[in-house]
Amino acid sequence: MTKTPQHDLSFDDWDEVMFPRDEVQDFDRVVDSALSRRGFLSGALAFGSGAAVMGTGMLHGSTAMAGQASRFAFEQLAPQTDGTVHVPEGYNWDVLVRWGDPLFGDAPEWSAETGIPTEGSDRVFGENTDGMELFHLGDTELLVVNSEYTNRKINLPAEQEGIPASADDVLRLQNFQGVTVMEVTEGDAGWEVVVDSPYNRRITHNTEMKIDGPAAGHDLLKTSADPTGTMSLGTLNNCGSGRTPWGTYLTCEENFNGYFGSTTGSHDGLPEVNVAGYKRYGIGTDGWGYDYHKWDARFDVSQNPNEPHRAGYIVEIDPWNPDATPIKHTALGRFKHENAAYALTPEGQVVVYMGDDERGEYMYKWVSRDIFVPGGDTSTLLSEGQLFVAKFNDDLTGTWVALTPEDTGMTEAEIAIFTRKAATEVSATTMDRPEWIAVNPTAVEAYCCLTNNSRRGLVEEDGSIRTNAAGEPMIPNGPNPREINRYGQIVRWRPHNDDHGAATFDWDLYVMVGNPTVHADQYAGTANMNEGNLFNSPDGMQIDSSGIIWIQTDGDDDNEGDFAGNGNNQMLAGDPVTGEIRRFLTGPNGCEVTGLTWSADKRTMFVGIQHPGAPFPDGDGSLPRSAIVTVKRDDNALVG
Ligand code: FEO
Ligand code: CA
Ligand code: CA
Ligand code: CA
């Protein structure tokens, strides 16, 4: 699990500790729902909608699996528990870049004792690699990569306990995160970063951004430094990625709330609308240990109460123009954005699917007003259109509900800033932490990793069910059918009329993750889980041009109990047609495998290794450093 900087808790557990459920419950609503749920889940159908889901999706899958040859061109890798990367027979891997490696000739040199000094800390590859996309023009290939957060304690060895002691320390942390644009090239010695390429660029927590869409210029976005509410500084907690059909990069701001705090130790005296928003989005008085607010007034909500409203968006970056100002697209909503997966409607409108990664939050879809025309004007495609939220029915159908002023009672700007509230107003379906969404290029369907939700259905001491941050009880529902869900699942939907712009869809579960060697009930998972391919907490996901689903995990790697036989976090290949899932790559212990893209010739995969717990990739005596590795076939055949 991703750990918070100072605490041995996952980011989500930290949110639970900081922001426990409302003390005042809508008690009648809780009881009503629990009762109707009990009726639904009675007797042998205790697995309820999950069984129905497996009936349509997985029985088909397992039948097909039994009768069809595997499409995978590799033997399944055994689970691993050591401190390095493994790939199957016939494949090889290498290190492309580690955190702290130079992008420019004048970058400071990495030191195992002192790390990287502040001066030049924005001239190196950022820390904790996450989502990435490769762009190419002619022979030039640019890799654009997110740096999600900074693990201060391990990777700032010069600082006592990694706690910033000055504005200079904070600036260094800010420089290690954000986005890296770098040219990469393959030579006889393998892939390498082109140091001093004119395209190389670091975008940090202080890079100037333009704000567009319905919230631009709104009073709630105005600050003393930006009285127009249209220019913000920095992009925060860049998690998953996306790309547009016109060749730009999308970076997704996820746990932005953790950077803000209050030097007064309270939110007393701040406007009610701000305080209500802080509660919904988990903005506290201490932050998550980055301590920015003590050294940089922008992050101190007692001085700048609107600054948190300027983060939590999808940000568009032009990789080919190092001088281009990134754009924060408020029309696509403000929440803990995981990634952004695009599709085109038959008419050519741009659809962007997005998840809000927090327990009991929602899944969203954007549909542009105008159509994409190659070479045409793309300036309105992420600012003029309609945002929808998903509502799943237990009968395996679902609806995209438009977030409109009429239905939410909020203005367009308020919907853009407090998107979670708007979605609650239209009774969206609470999900088990939507992580990456991927669109299948070989069929009109999409998939979302629902990583886990150990609080789903949790009964509190007073008999009520655990709620999300809106106070909605997280009762098991269609695509989130299990209580205390430690394993996760992948939901798949097929839009009606083969149109990603359609308002309705059919859905099933591609996989309900489980451990059939430990459990015989719903925690065994669906038929495509078996002793050989055990994993948990699906998170990163991409589907390659042949339709193979690549699934990356960010789960429990202690390899015991519920997770016995899982080994380290890993990347697996899934067949959308047969349902077969096969382990392809394992990461070093302690790491999360996250981020995947391909070279222009599709003969190399780039895979991200985030927060390794072992001295990876440089071995004994060195510090653990997040890194991007390349994976190729020994015969240099296609891998994507
Ligand atoms: Fe940054 Fe939800 O993963
Ligand atoms: Ca992570
Ligand atoms: Ca993730
Ligand atoms: Ca995760």
Side-chain angles (χ1 to χ4, degrees), residues 1-2 11 130 148-149 239 254 539 554 592 594 610-611:
M1 297 284 179
T2 302
F11 278 145
D130 208 320
E148 188 182 33
Y149 72 103
C239 181
E254 191 190 20
D539 184 332
D554 173 23
E592 160 187 357
T594 183
Q610 195 190 65
H611 61 81

Side-chain angles (χ1 to χ4, degrees), residues 407-437:
D407 293 334
T408 62
M410 299 163 69
T411 65
E412 297 280 1
E414 288 167 344
I415 292 167
I417 302 165
F418 300 119
T419 311
R420 287 180 165 184
K421 181 172 190 292
T424 302
E425 291 293 333
V426 300
S427 305
T429 299
T430 66
M431 308 296 283
D432 287 349
R433 300 187 49 202
E435 299 249 28
W436 285 62
I437 295 176

Side-chain angles (χ1 to χ4, degrees), residues 148-336:
E148 188 182 33
Y149 72 103
T150 185
N151 192 335
R152 307 188 320 272
K153 222 167 163 177
I154 294 177
N155 289 332
L156 285 185
E159 304 302 323
Q160 293 298 317
E161 295 299 306
I163 298 168
S166 65
D168 187 75
D169 283 349
V170 165
L171 177 61
R172 193 181 327 158
L173 297 180
Q174 292 173 333
N175 282 345
F176 290 153
Q177 300 166 75
V179 179
T180 299
V181 182
M182 56 192 177
E183 185 176 348
V184 293
T185 188
E186 187 178 28
D188 292 341
W191 284 89
E192 59 183 24
V193 173
V194 180
V195 174
D196 286 328
S197 162
Y199 297 108
N200 291 357
R201 180 182 190 187
R202 283 300 322 281
I203 291 164
T204 73
H205 285 186
N206 291 300
T207 303
E208 194 166 81
M209 311 259 145
K210 179 172 178 270
I211 300 171
D212 88 350
H218 190 275
D219 283 349
L220 285 169
L221 264 64
K222 293 175 181 168
T223 63
S224 51
D226 172 26
T228 70
T230 58
M231 293 298 292
S232 76
L233 292 182
T235 175
L236 305 182
N237 208 265
N238 307 84
C239 181
S241 59
R243 59 195 303 141
T244 64
W246 53 96
T248 56
Y249 181 77
L250 302 176
T251 187
C252 307
E253 299 186 306
E254 191 190 20
N255 293 299
F256 65 91
N257 55 320
Y259 299 97
F260 296 94
S262 171
T263 51
T264 65
S266 84
H267 295 150
D268 291 352
L270 300 181
E272 206 175 307
V273 61
N274 292 55
V275 175
Y278 298 164
K279 188 158 188 292
R280 188 74 170 87
Y281 286 84
I283 289 150
T285 54
D286 292 331
W288 286 359
Y290 296 102
D291 278 2
Y292 283 13
H293 62 288
K294 294 179 184 165
W295 305 100
D296 183 345
R298 193 155 64 86
F299 294 89
D300 177 3
V301 298
S302 73
Q303 297 185 63
N304 286 292
N306 285 340
E307 189 69 26
H309 300 155
R310 295 147 64 87
Y313 297 107
I314 297 287
V315 183
E316 184 180 13
I317 295 169
D318 180 353
W320 298 102
N321 180 358
D323 299 322
T325 304
I327 304 170
K328 291 200 166 188
H329 288 295
T330 66
L332 276 66
R334 175 172 168 266
F335 43 90
K336 293 187 180 179

